[in-house]
Amino acid sequence: MKLCLVCATGITPFIDFGSMPLGNGFLLPEQSGDEYRYRMQVGFCPECGMVQLLEQPDRERMFHDNYAFFSGTSRFMALHFQAFAEQVMNDFLPSGAPFVVEMGSNDGIMLQNFKAAGIRHLGIEPSKNVAQVAMDKGISTLTEFFSAELARRIVAEQGQADAFLAANVMCHIPYIHSIAEGISILLKPSGVVMFEDPYLGDVIEKTSYDQIYDEHTFLFSVGSVSNLFERYGMEVVDVQPQSTHGGSMRYVIAHRGARPVSPNVATQRMREERMGLSRPETYEQFRRNCESSRTQLMALLRDLKADGKRVVGYGATSKSTTITNYCGITPDLVEFISDTTPIKQGKVSPGAHIPVRPYEEFARNYPDYALLFAWNHSREIMEKEEAFRKSGGKWIVYVPEVAILG
Ligand code: DWN
Ligand code: SAH
Ligand code: ZN
């Protein structure tokens, strides 16, 4: 039996995806013979409420010198992080010379705003290629994995932080105790932690099971996050739902007693109870919903193929690795996946080996249908792709339900 990564209670899986490749493991066609795989199973801890992967690849397999995801590929996300940074600067930073630390700073999409405002900052980003983009913009970055040990070193060399920020990375880290301890060491007594990640409640409500892949160790809720940080003398003082990544939650955390606790925290915890997030049956139902979503999507793709229609994927997301492998989508059903990220182009998708091609190939010869793998960016993409729709092109989506838009 596997043990909960937070409280060491024995847990059993509620969904087993079987053998899976790396979510971001795009590979050259000639490398597709010996692809790395691991067993992807998800469990719910009845004791502390944490939803988590039971097994995961080593961190160096996922985050390295050729990491495939560059945060700056979405213009809307750049605006989102600009607003996030403004909130931190306006509402949380003390006057004087504050110090802001961000974990998982990637290409500097968030910290560039602090740099522009002349605020002392430090990014911690182990994937060297994306960190290099940030450093080229003049953003101070350490190319290391954050941990309690690194926190001690930062305090010794640069002092404690007024704000510790993290977006879409806290939920990526199985050695979460070292992270929470590190934050408690690094944060000034009056400091604030703000992080956001895809929200368990949205995943359950929308059957967005593609948020489950190797990098996503945890699916957080206010209940499970509160429990985790309480162990380190901290508390959740506010929660703010976000529309990004298909529904996320921003958690505001401080040393216990340092800041007033917003009523939003208790309200959201009550909602979580009503959604059934602490009941095992909720996760059994989720598994059935995933199975039914898969059946519907495959029936649709097979019908379109039988009708001789061309279907192309839009956005070679990490999430799409879960969809293509769990559903069994092959290159005869989806011709290629269009993506604007140079490092993904010319490669094939993990496991399913669907070619990834530059965006221009999509625009040059529109398919009949575009399967929207980057559904979390649908507003941004729909705005850009008016011409596709006007030409008669239709979108296929699968969150919250399998549907054709057009
Ligand atoms: O949690 C994570 C989030 C922040 O980013 C990481 N573990 C990995 C990654 O997840 P993802 O790959 O599912 O993220 P996105 O943001 O959904 O990826 C969008 C993909 O689509 C990128 O490869 C860029 C591409 N894209 C595009 O081709 N045209 C994106 C947009 C907006 C576009 O217009
Ligand atoms: N914050 C960005 C990037 C999210 S992708 C955004 O929201 O768009 C997750 C990032 O976290 C990757 O760049 C990865 O290299 C980094 N990461 C993974 N483990 C980490 C750790 N222990 N410490 C710091 N960064 C880490
Ligand atoms: Zn637990």
Side-chain angles (χ1 to χ4, degrees), residues 97-358:
F99 179 36
V100 175
V101 175
E102 189 195 358
M103 172 171 78
S105 45
N106 200 279
D107 57 11
I109 193 167
M110 167 108 82
L111 286 182
Q112 61 196 8
N113 299 291
F114 293 95
K115 157 105 179 51
I119 291 173
R120 187 159 71 95
H121 60 273
L122 177 66
I124 300 158
E125 176 46 69
S127 295
K128 293 214 172 77
N129 61 328
V130 296
Q132 190 58 50
V133 175
M135 293 190 281
D136 290 346
K137 295 183 207 165
I139 294 165
S140 316
T141 309
L142 281 180
T143 50
E144 289 184 59
F145 289 95
F146 186 69
S147 65
E149 193 202 326
L150 181 60
R152 286 193 191 92
R153 230 170 69 213
I154 297 172
V155 173
E157 291 168 8
Q158 308 196 33
Q160 284 185 305
D162 295 280
F164 182 93
L165 311 177
N168 306 301
V169 59
M170 194 71 79
C171 75
H172 290 50
I173 310 184
Y175 44 100
I176 192 76
H177 285 291
S178 175
I179 301 299
E181 187 194 346
I183 293 173
S184 71
I185 293 168
L186 182 55
L187 197 67
K188 278 189 189 160
S190 58
V192 68
V193 183
M194 293 175 76
F195 71 89
E196 59 189 37
D197 284 291
Y199 181 55
L200 174 65
D202 286 289
V203 172
I204 296 294
E205 277 186 346
K206 299 174 190 165
T207 317
S208 46
Y209 65 90
D210 56 352
Q211 286 295 359
I212 301 167
Y213 56 92
D214 55 346
E215 295 179 19
H216 286 185
T217 313
F218 300 110
L219 282 172
F220 289 144
S221 61
V222 180
S224 63
V225 165
S226 300
N227 173 285
L228 169 64
F229 281 89
E230 275 164 20
R231 292 163 180 258
Y232 294 89
M234 293 181 277
E235 63 185 345
V236 178
V237 297
D238 200 4
V239 292
Q240 302 164 356
Q242 307 291 319
S243 61
T244 46
H245 290 296
S248 295
M249 188 62 77
R250 182 175 297 168
Y251 305 88
V252 185
I253 294 176
H255 288 295
R256 191 180 297 130
R259 284 170 190 265
V261 179
S262 155
N264 294 344
V265 181
T267 308
Q268 193 63 32
R269 289 192 72 157
M270 250 144 57
R271 273 193 209 126
E272 291 182 349
E273 275 312 305
R274 280 203 302 275
M275 279 190 267
L277 297 189
S278 57
R279 286 199 304 272
E281 307 84 78
T282 303
Y283 302 98
E284 296 301 320
Q285 183 59 48
F286 174 73
R287 188 192 65 242
R288 290 192 291 273
N289 294 347
C290 294
E291 289 161 359
S292 134
S293 171
R294 164 172 70 180
T295 306
Q296 289 174 45
L297 181 59
M298 288 311 281
L300 173 59
L301 293 176
R302 289 193 184 111
D303 284 353
L304 294 175
K305 182 180 157 68
D307 286 350
K309 303 293 187 197
R310 278 185 70 219
V311 180
V312 162
Y314 197 104
T317 56
S318 341
K319 296 183 291 292
S320 69
T321 298
T322 298
I323 301 293
T324 53
N325 287 278
Y326 172 70
C327 297
I329 300 175
T330 42
D332 64 318
L333 294 175
V334 171
E335 193 178 304
F336 66 87
I337 307 174
S338 155
D339 199 286
T340 54
T341 317
I343 198 174
K344 296 181 183 177
Q345 298 163 355
K347 297 198 172 145
V348 296
S349 71
H353 301 164
I354 301 169
V356 180
R357 303 255 171 82

Side-chain angles (χ1 to χ4, degrees), residues 1-4 8-13 54:
M1 182 177 275
K2 298 282 183 182
L3 301 183
C4 171
T9 298
I11 44 180
T12 48
L54 301 190

Side-chain angles (χ1 to χ4, degrees), residues 344-374:
K344 296 181 183 177
Q345 298 163 355
K347 297 198 172 145
V348 296
S349 71
H353 301 164
I354 301 169
V356 180
R357 303 255 171 82
Y359 169 72
E360 291 68 30
E361 293 202 26
F362 170 83
R364 192 181 318 134
N365 179 17
Y366 286 141
D368 300 302
Y369 291 83
L371 175 53
L372 187 54
F373 286 132

